Every structure is written in C-alpha cells, then in structure tokens.
Amino acid sequence: DFRKAAFFQSAPTLATCPPEVGREVAFAGRSNAGKSSAINCLTGNGKLARTSKTPGRTQLINYFQLGDEPLYLVDLPGYGFAKVPLATKKEWDKNLSEYLYERQSLVGLVLLMDIRQPMKEFDTMMLNWAVEREMAVQILLTKADKLKKGPAKSTQFAVQKQLKEANIDDLVSVQLFSSLKKSGVEQLATTLNQWLQP
Ligand code: GTP
Ligand code: MG
C-alpha cells in the first residue's frame, strides 16, 4: 500500500544504503523532472519527498518504506544540475551505475523525463545500464499537463518507436504522467505492485 509510505533513511552513496533485504524500486531522472513530486503523488503524501523549483534539491539517495515490510521507494538525486562541478558529476555517474548494477534488492527503475524534453543523454545512459542488467523500466513522461492531449500522445508514440527500434520494448514501457493532474498514477501503481510482489 503506497499510502503507508514513510521516510526510512538517506544515504549519500551506495555503500551507505540500507542492507539489501527485501525489494526496492528507484526513481531516476534529470534534475527537476518531477521525481519527488511523483513519489508524493503516488503515496498521496505531499510532504513526503521534498520538491522544489530549484533543480538539484534532492542530493541524497532517499529511502521510503512501504508499511512494515522491507519494501522501498528510492528517490535518487537529480542528474544534470548545472551548478555542480564536473568532478562531482563524474562521481555521480559512478555512484549511479554502481547502484543500478550492484544493488541486489533493486527490482525495477522508474525513469522520469519531462515530456517537453524526453530521451536526453542521461536518459539513454540510464536505460542502457538498466537494460544491460535486464531490469524492467517504466518511463514516465512527466508534466504531461504542459502539453495538449494530441502532442502528448505523439511524444509517447515517438518514444515507444525509439524503444522498439532499439529492441528494448520488452523490458521498457512508457506512459504519460502528471503529478499536477494526478494522471497516470494508477498505471504506475499497477506496474510497481507487480515489481514489488515476492
Ligand atoms: P530534483 O530533486 O531537483 O532532481 O527534482 P525532482 O525531479 O525531484 O523534481 P520535483 O518533484 O522537485 O519537481 C520540480 C518542479 O516541477 C517543481 O516546481 C514541481 O512543482 C514541478 N512539477 C512536478 N511535477 C509536475 C507536473 O506533473 N506538472 C507540472 N506542471 N509541474 C510539475
Ligand atoms: Mg527531488
């Protein structure tokens, strides 16, 4: 039950994450893509994950536990925060790839992209890492409320086509999402429930 989500722990690196017990799903995406908002929307708790107009708000790996079971939603730091030095960015690439490759309890990745700028370099990098591990990915085209229905749908189809051409459409799905309008939430919840089932 996503409504039972509660803050569990913050970790600056993979090494300081909680023990690899149970199952977790990670939320990744470029800075400001709407990761924290999506977690709040899914859990019905607007104050759970800190959201901000300033990109780079979330700089730690934040764990939220679902009820009493060892099931977690993981809010990853946003990528591409302009004010971060290159060395820090490289450190984060390393951290993220380690997390995606080595985290045993990670069962799926939610990859958020602003619908107005989907499939940027960071997004394809994350996709490649996840697919190499044969991990399921749900792409959320976020802030879908910023586009009219027609253009939103054609963006979704364009991304779907790219996945098909890359031969990864068996592992990777794409859906529209808006935290503002609370749309796409049930579709996301259904996918996450499948992933988190033992
Ligand atoms: P970082 O933690 O900095 O990486 O950002 P984030 O991906 O967690 O983004 P966050 O949820 O903090 O949202 C960033 C900004 O986008 C905020 O100003 C939100 O209000 C806005 N936002 C998030 N989701 C939506 C949405 O569905 N529609 C609209 N219109 N704005 C949104
Ligand atoms: Mg955030």
Side-chain angles (χ1 to χ4, degrees), residues 31-37 51-52 56-58 78 143 145 179-180:
S31 279
N32 215 39
K35 298 173 291 294
S36 302
S37 299
T51 63
S52 168
R57 171 82 270 167
T58 314
K143 312 190 189 184
D145 55 274
S179 297
L180 191 73

Side-chain angles (χ1 to χ4, degrees), residues 27 33-44 110-116 138-147 152-153 155-156 174-192:
F27 287 65
K35 298 173 291 294
S36 302
S37 299
I39 288 178
N40 291 347
C41 190
L42 177 71
T43 57
V110 182
L111 184 56
L112 294 88
M113 310 174 191
D114 188 316
I115 193 161
R116 295 163 296 178
Q138 185 84 354
I139 294 177
L140 304 189
L141 298 174
T142 62
K143 312 190 189 184
D145 55 274
K146 295 276 191 187
L147 294 186
K153 271 285 166 199
T155 305
Q156 186 185 357
V174 49
Q175 66 157 102
L176 300 176
F177 193 88
S178 166
S179 297
L180 191 73
K181 293 276 161 71
K182 301 202 190 319
S183 62
V185 188
E186 268 180 44
Q187 195 181 347
L188 175 63
T190 303
T191 301
L192 296 193

Side-chain angles (χ1 to χ4, degrees), residues 42-146:
L42 177 71
T43 57
N45 182 349
K47 290 190 186 130
L48 192 60
R50 283 187 72 184
T51 63
S52 168
K53 286 196 177 72
T54 319
R57 171 82 270 167
T58 314
Q59 295 195 355
L60 294 165
I61 304 174
N62 286 315
Y63 275 80
F64 303 99
Q65 186 173 16
L66 303 173
D68 303 321
E69 289 168 276
L71 300 173
Y72 307 92
L73 303 178
V74 183
D75 190 5
L76 294 177
Y79 187 92
F81 180 38
K83 283 180 191 152
V84 170
L86 185 66
T88 312
K89 272 186 190 155
K90 289 202 167 147
E91 188 63 28
W92 259 112
D93 279 5
K94 199 169 133 256
N95 258 324
L96 274 175
S97 66
E98 270 177 15
Y99 173 80
L100 279 195
Y101 275 129
E102 290 170 29
R103 188 75 180 162
Q104 292 300 318
S105 41
L106 182 63
V107 294
L109 176 71
V110 182
L111 184 56
L112 294 88
M113 310 174 191
D114 188 316
I115 193 161
R116 295 163 296 178
Q117 33 190 337
M119 295 294 246
K120 294 283 195 189
E121 192 184 343
F122 166 78
D123 304 316
T124 45
M125 181 175 82
M126 292 297 281
L127 269 180
N128 291 338
W129 284 339
V131 167
E132 263 181 61
R133 220 190 108 166
E134 290 184 44
M135 190 162 56
V137 181
Q138 185 84 354
I139 294 177
L140 304 189
L141 298 174
T142 62
K143 312 190 189 184
D145 55 274
K146 295 276 191 187

